[in-house]
Amino acid sequence: MKKKLLFLGPPGAGKGTQANLFCKKYGLDHLSTGDLLRDEVSSGSVLGLKAEEVMNKGELVSDELVLSIVEGRLENINEGWLLDGFPRNVNQANSLKSLLEKINQPLEAVVLIKCADDYLIKRLLERGRKDDNQQVIKNRLEIYREKTSPLIDLYKKEGILEEIEGNADIDVVFSCIEKSLG
Ligand code: AP5
């Protein structure tokens, strides 16, 4: 089983859900930039306050802030890990590559969880997180298309992309991911 992973996909595709299940079963470190940023927001720090404003609009927090959070974590990471929600643009992907070269732990696979907009919107509205309302979801989807989706081709060219259909029951999606990484 591959154990140096990145889960990619639009908001609501199930990256977090699947990453939690996968890390629990296979003992991987789960690094979710969304969760780390929400922790920063809860701590009430100045950085957290700045990040909250951007997150509530559905925009991307600055690369500088995200990279500073990720860098510290990657330096102390185990041999098995799963990145969720990072990288989010080409600049972050390039930075990740350098960081992973430094710790001599190259990415083994990128799992793209695909899902149609109708399902994504329905799931997110039902969840109702602070950034899960019609206008912000629309913005998050646009930003995904514009800034994050170019990473699909990038990892396809590297030959490490696995594409999974995310519009199925959670356990079915999980089995497909396991099969693709086995
Ligand atoms: P982040 O927390 O990463 O949000 P996101 O990418 O929009 O992802 P979501 O958590 O909404 O979706 P998911 O794919 O993880 O699905 P989930 O499993 O939760 O980022 C939030 C914000 O932080 C960003 O907008 C940005 O501002 C900032 N940020 C984060 N990382 C950044 C970075 N690298 N650079 C800059 N800014 C960054 O599932 C969603 C719902 O669907 C749940 O209710 C779940 O129960 C349900 N569900 C999941 N799978 C299924 C299924 N198969 N069937 C039915 N329901 C399902």
Side-chain angles (χ1 to χ4, degrees):
M1 183 70 64
K2 291 173 184 155
K3 287 194 167 179
K4 300 184 200 314
L5 309 173
L6 160 56
F7 281 10
L8 193 65
K15 303 179 294 294
T17 303
Q18 297 296 334
N20 276 324
L21 293 171
F22 203 86
C23 289
K24 207 166 175 193
K25 180 159 177 184
Y26 293 101
L28 309 188
D29 282 352
H30 181 190
L31 201 159
S32 155
T33 44
D35 287 347
L36 291 170
L37 286 165
R38 281 183 286 278
D39 288 348
E40 193 72 40
V41 171
S42 304
S43 78
S45 69
V46 178
L47 283 182
L49 286 176
K50 264 195 204 163
E52 186 177 29
E53 216 177 290
V54 179
M55 291 166 82
N56 286 346
K57 287 193 241 164
E59 286 164 14
L60 293 186
V61 171
S62 74
D63 289 351
E64 198 189 4
L65 172 55
V66 171
L67 287 164
S68 70
I69 293 177
V70 171
E71 200 165 1
R73 300 279 163 155
L74 277 179
E75 274 163 11
N76 301 304
I77 208 147
N78 285 320
E79 290 285 308
W81 41 263
L82 195 165
L83 305 175
D84 158 16
F86 172 86
R88 263 322 215 261
N89 59 30
V90 173
N91 183 44
Q92 290 184 11
N94 290 334
S95 301
L96 173 65
K97 199 165 186 163
S98 312
L99 286 172
L100 294 179
E101 272 165 13
K102 233 197 259 176
I103 58 169
N104 204 17
Q105 293 203 47
L107 199 51
E108 291 174 341
V110 175
V111 175
L112 170 65
I113 306 178
K114 300 186 289 187
C115 194
D117 282 8
D118 290 0
Y119 294 102
L120 300 173
I121 294 165
K122 185 169 177 286
R123 284 181 189 176
L124 295 175
L125 288 174
E126 274 173 12
R127 178 177 63 183
R129 207 169 66 190
K130 229 175 169 182
D131 54 345
D132 291 338
N133 60 66
Q134 288 279 6
Q135 185 52 45
V136 175
I137 294 170
K138 185 168 170 274
N139 209 12
R140 285 161 65 196
L141 285 169
E142 275 169 16
I143 287 180
Y144 173 76
R145 277 194 196 96
E146 185 193 333
K147 307 227 162 108
T148 312
S149 68
L151 303 185
I152 298 171
D153 264 359
L154 196 145
Y155 291 122
K156 210 182 256 176
K157 279 187 193 136
E158 289 190 16
I160 55 171
L161 189 79
E162 300 291 342
E163 299 190 40
I164 302 291
E165 178 51 59
N167 177 26
D169 287 348
I170 289 173
D171 54 336
V172 173
V173 177
F174 187 73
S175 304
C176 292
I177 294 176
E178 277 185 311
K179 254 188 229 153
S180 77
L181 298 173

